[in-house]
Amino acid sequence: MKRRIPALLFALLVTQLVALVNPAYACGCGAMIPDGQSRIGVDRETSVVRWDGRTEQIVMRFTVGGDAHRAAWIMPVPGRATVELADGKMFDELSRLTRPERKTRSYFWPRERDWPFSSRTGDTAGAPMPGSAAPPVGVVGREQLGDFDVARLTATDPDALKNWLESNGFKLPDRLATEVKPYVDQSWEYVAVRLAPRQQGKPLRGDLDPLRIRFESDRLVYPMRLSRMAKTPQSLGLYVLADHRMEPATAIGGSAPKVTFAGSIAPEGGPLAELAGAGPVFLTAIDQRFPDPGRIDADHELRATAKDTPYRRAIYRDELLMVGGVPAWLLTIGAVAVAVTASAVAILRIRARRPRPAGAAAA
């Protein structure tokens, strides 16, 4: 029995380690599952959404790690979609446009790291994603785009959709048929993507080629419902390009969405300008976390805010207020001390000049 206890503890430890390195992951747009016993982790998912009131375009890029050689995910869309590769340089430009401002703010009284408490000057930082006779599954198109095998599908039966995906190499969760039923009921279509590197034997790792998905839509919607299949906390980062500042209608089961940037931009040339179109466009950057993905109960619908109020995050560098290289507080205290001393001396002089009473002199 004593020999079996260490073995049991070791088995439990291995089980926990496997759970840590092989998480079930669902990206912000749908479900992502690796092949076999391999693991995949999406370190970062960034999406750019462009909506002009009629057409919606979503450009997404994944940064992945792990040892999986293949993986697949599915994204529901409200209309017929086209899919193509995008230029990743637009993400670099968006990062530059939305980076926080760096500001300096002064404080008067010395803090823990300031003289006389310390000889160092401290600084802190703070700041404040068909017809009636149609078959159960219809293949609109299928193509190889970079590292992606992309299938564009229609479906009138969720179980038939799951079976088609599995028989065509798209291994997805068992719950898929249940989770896609609301989309089937609304006659949505689907973009199924299998990540298959062109280099045989090469694992999925690093930045993958960005994909650009385009479809007609009279409302700005970002599919999120399938992310409820995830078993680990999720995060969403969106860059939204539209005529006005945009906001999610609800939190859909996550934490309150946070705007990290809002303002009008006018990109000149490059992939971002091509996506944004001619003239200025309003850019809203949104971050949101989903600590419990199982609570996600809808897709994100974004709407225009009452006002196009600009916003940019700021990173502050706090500095002790100085005057001519001398702390302002020290000068103030010195001036007060001089004033008090001068007042005291003046009072003493006035008292010394007062004539003494006659009786005091006789005594």
Side-chain angles (χ1 to χ4, degrees):
M1 184 64 182
K2 292 182 179 180
R3 293 180 179 178
R4 295 177 60 184
I5 290 177
L8 178 61
L9 293 176
F10 177 77
L12 289 173
L13 176 61
V14 170
T15 301
Q16 294 300 314
L17 290 174
V18 169
L20 289 173
V21 300
N22 190 19
Y25 182 86
C27 62
C29 59
M32 179 176 285
I33 301 297
D35 58 342
Q37 298 301 313
S38 58
R39 68 186 190 276
I40 187 169
V42 178
D43 301 322
R44 176 70 175 168
E45 176 205 349
T46 309
S47 293
V48 187
V49 180
R50 172 67 172 115
W51 185 64
D52 61 8
R54 301 179 305 278
T55 303
E56 181 172 342
Q57 301 178 67
I58 299 176
V59 179
M60 50 184 51
R61 181 177 69 178
F62 301 110
T63 302
V64 301
D67 60 2
H69 290 73
R70 294 179 181 272
W73 55 267
I74 182 172
M75 180 176 181
V77 290
R80 181 62 47 88
T82 61
V83 185
E84 60 185 356
L85 289 178
D87 192 331
K89 292 181 180 178
M90 74 172 65
F91 295 96
D92 298 331
E93 186 171 358
L94 284 166
S95 178
R96 179 184 62 80
L97 289 170
T98 61
R99 63 190 176 195
E101 290 182 289
R102 295 188 177 273
K103 297 182 177 181
T104 300
R105 56 187 177 188
S106 300
Y107 56 91
F108 184 78
W109 293 111
R111 296 180 179 177
E112 181 180 354
R113 297 181 181 180
D114 299 321
W115 183 87
F117 306 111
S118 171
S119 60
R120 295 178 299 171
T121 300
D123 56 275
T124 60
M129 264 183 359
S132 58
V137 178
V139 181
V140 177
R142 187 169 183 178
E143 50 268 328
Q144 183 76 30
L145 299 174
D147 290 332
F148 303 100
D149 174 14
V150 180
R152 291 171 288 132
L153 311 170
T154 62
T156 58
D157 183 325
D159 291 310
L161 174 62
K162 180 177 182 294
N163 292 337
W164 186 96
L165 291 168
E166 290 183 347
S167 63
N168 283 271
F170 295 83
K171 182 173 176 56
L172 292 165
D174 294 334
R175 292 171 51 194
L176 180 65
T178 301
E179 297 298 342
V180 300
K181 188 177 185 307
Y183 298 113
V184 172
D185 294 342
Q186 298 177 69
S187 300
W188 280 38
E189 298 188 6
Y190 311 89
V191 175
V193 180
R194 186 173 60 170
L195 287 71
R198 288 160 289 186
Q199 280 185 248
Q200 295 298 320
K202 176 186 175 183
L204 296 167
R205 192 171 299 147
D207 291 335
L208 303 181
D209 295 329
L211 276 182
R212 180 172 176 174
I213 302 171
R214 185 198 320 254
F215 51 88
E216 299 298 315
S217 180
D218 59 1
R219 58 196 176 103
L220 203 170
V221 58
Y222 188 80
M224 281 291 298
R225 196 194 309 262
L226 292 187
S227 291
R228 61 186 286 112
M229 290 187 286
K231 300 185 184 303
T232 58
Q234 303 295 289
S235 63
L236 173 67
L238 281 180
Y239 294 108
V240 183
L241 299 167
D243 293 337
H244 300 281
R245 175 171 169 167
M246 306 299 288
E247 65 179 0
T250 67
I252 65 168
S255 60
K258 295 181 179 180
V259 173
T260 59
F261 177 87
S264 180
I265 64 170
E268 299 179 0
L272 182 60
E274 191 273 330
L275 178 66
V281 65
F282 204 95
L283 169 62
T284 313
I286 301 169
D287 281 341
Q288 186 180 16
R289 297 190 177 278
F290 296 89
D292 182 4
R295 298 180 60 185
I296 298 175
D297 56 8
D299 297 314
H300 259 319
E301 288 197 35
L302 293 101
R303 62 192 180 190
T305 58
K307 296 181 179 180
D308 292 336
T309 306
Y311 171 76
R312 182 188 290 271
R313 290 177 298 167
I315 296 178
Y316 291 98
R317 177 185 176 88
D318 291 350
E319 292 183 347
L320 183 65
L321 182 61
M322 308 286 282
V323 177
V326 180
W329 68 269
L330 186 58
L331 291 176
T332 302
I333 291 178
V336 171
V338 169
V340 170
T341 301
S343 298
V345 170
I347 291 173
L348 291 175
R349 287 179 177 177
I350 291 172
R351 288 181 176 178
R353 293 173 182 174
R354 288 178 181 175
R356 297 182 179 181

